Amino acid sequence: QECGSSSVHVLRFPLCGLPSVCSADTDRAVEFLLEYRGQLEALGGPSKHPSLSTLNKTERAATVEELFRHYAALTNQSAGDNTSSEAVHAVVAAAAAAASGKADASAAAPVAGAAPQIISANGLVQLLTDLKTAPDSLLALVLGWQFKTVSMGEITQVEFIQGMDSLGCATVDDLRTRLEEVADQAMKNKQQFNSLYIFAFDFCRETEASKVIDITLAAPMLQIVLGNHPDYSFHTKMFVDFLKDQKTVKAMNRDQWTCWLDFAKTVPHDLHGYDEQHPWPLLFDEFVEWRHSKTGNNDEAATN
């Protein structure tokens, strides 16, 4: 910029955590760029912005807005194949929903000339990639839980901004750290884990009015949320196999979903003493029969 009769080179990096430099010497400005070249190249995009602690409230809001626009802008870019849209639906392992490779019409058709108001498709895939997590991971589910997302495979602007604010995040690095902390805490806190578990069911519903979720969604979601939990994983892994193997049950209702936590935690691994008169959902009795058919009425091997 011009300053009096002198040409002064001012370099400012307000969101990069780098100092500003003001010099009438072009060579000094070049030296500055070279000096911080590594940091500048490392930034790459909004995911490399500074820690939340370095930003005031206004700067944090601006950074979060920029972050949203970055991923929303990727939403409608062509990926060249169906891989990205499949990965989006794999957030809940919804392979069947992704098979067509088509984004939801309401999510993929923003008003002409207007900035995209959602993150979906390629934008969501890139966000998960930057978070260094798989679309079908527990961390991806925790993201939806904490952002209170309503629709599978997309995050609205309001959900993103409010979610980042509630978690106290301004960057992708902040977000990953907080999601890991929340996930770890949920695994140890029964009330929080139950909240996450119920969210997983609601997240899989086709509409908010739906009372059931398709088995093609229920089975992989159970594996995501319970597959590595020490209290529930043993029965859950076989229950998921059963749901995939059987052909009669097409959907799982909320009662079955909720009761599964109690079944998976309280019923002995070898099914010894399983009481068919207990008011378990009929689906669980069918699962027990399936287990017996696979082990010849002897589940001792399953406990070893």
Side-chain angles (χ1 to χ4, degrees), residues 43-50 63 66-67 70-71 130 170-172:
L43 291 171
S47 63
K48 295 297 184 178
H49 282 332
T63 303
E66 178 189 355
L67 200 60
H70 169 72
Y71 291 111
D130 291 343
T171 73
V172 170

Side-chain angles (χ1 to χ4, degrees), residues 20 35 48 72 117 136 152 171 194 211 216 233 245 267 283:
S20 299
E35 180 180 354
K48 295 297 184 178
Q117 298 300 303
D136 58 351
M152 181 191 305
T171 73
N194 286 346
K211 304 297 184 182
T216 60
S233 60
D245 189 50
V267 174
L283 179 64

Side-chain angles (χ1 to χ4, degrees), residues 226-244:
L226 301 180
N228 292 313
H229 195 294
D231 292 340
Y232 310 108
S233 60
F234 184 88
H235 282 310
T236 296
K237 291 177 181 178
M238 284 179 281
F239 187 56
V240 168
D241 289 340
F242 160 71
L243 292 177
K244 294 177 179 178

Side-chain angles (χ1 to χ4, degrees), residues 104-265:
D104 180 82
S106 62
V111 177
Q117 298 300 303
I118 64 167
I119 298 172
S120 66
N122 301 321
L124 185 53
V125 171
Q126 188 59 54
L127 173 59
L128 295 174
T129 298
D130 291 343
L131 285 170
K132 298 181 176 63
T133 192
D136 58 351
S137 67
L138 179 64
L139 205 65
L141 178 63
V142 171
L143 171 68
W145 177 44
Q146 290 298 296
F147 278 19
K148 297 180 173 61
T149 54
V150 174
S151 300
M152 181 191 305
E154 69 178 44
I155 303 173
T156 68
Q157 185 173 18
V158 171
E159 290 168 347
F160 186 87
I161 292 175
Q162 291 183 350
M164 293 289 281
D165 183 64
S166 67
L167 290 171
C169 300
T171 73
V172 170
D173 289 340
D174 290 336
L175 180 57
R176 176 174 173 78
T177 297
R178 286 293 292 123
L179 290 178
E180 290 175 338
E181 293 172 352
V182 170
D184 183 64
Q185 188 174 10
M187 291 297 108
K188 302 173 182 177
N189 184 293
K190 181 178 180 180
Q191 184 176 0
Q192 291 186 18
F193 185 78
N194 286 346
S195 175
L196 172 62
Y197 183 70
I198 294 302
F199 169 81
F201 178 88
D202 292 337
F203 197 49
C204 290
R205 294 182 300 171
E206 289 188 4
T207 68
E208 291 188 57
S210 299
K211 304 297 184 182
V212 299
I213 58 177
D214 194 278
I215 287 298
T216 60
L217 301 180
M221 180 56 82
L222 283 169
Q223 182 61 41
I224 290 171
V225 71
L226 301 180
N228 292 313
H229 195 294
D231 292 340
Y232 310 108
S233 60
F234 184 88
H235 282 310
T236 296
K237 291 177 181 178
M238 284 179 281
F239 187 56
V240 168
D241 289 340
F242 160 71
L243 292 177
K244 294 177 179 178
D245 189 50
Q246 61 82 38
K247 305 301 181 184
T248 58
V249 178
K250 303 299 182 182
M252 194 170 182
N253 62 41
R254 185 181 293 275
D255 180 60
Q256 293 167 333
W257 183 270
T258 303
C259 287
W260 178 252
L261 277 186
D262 192 25
F263 180 101
K265 187 173 183 176

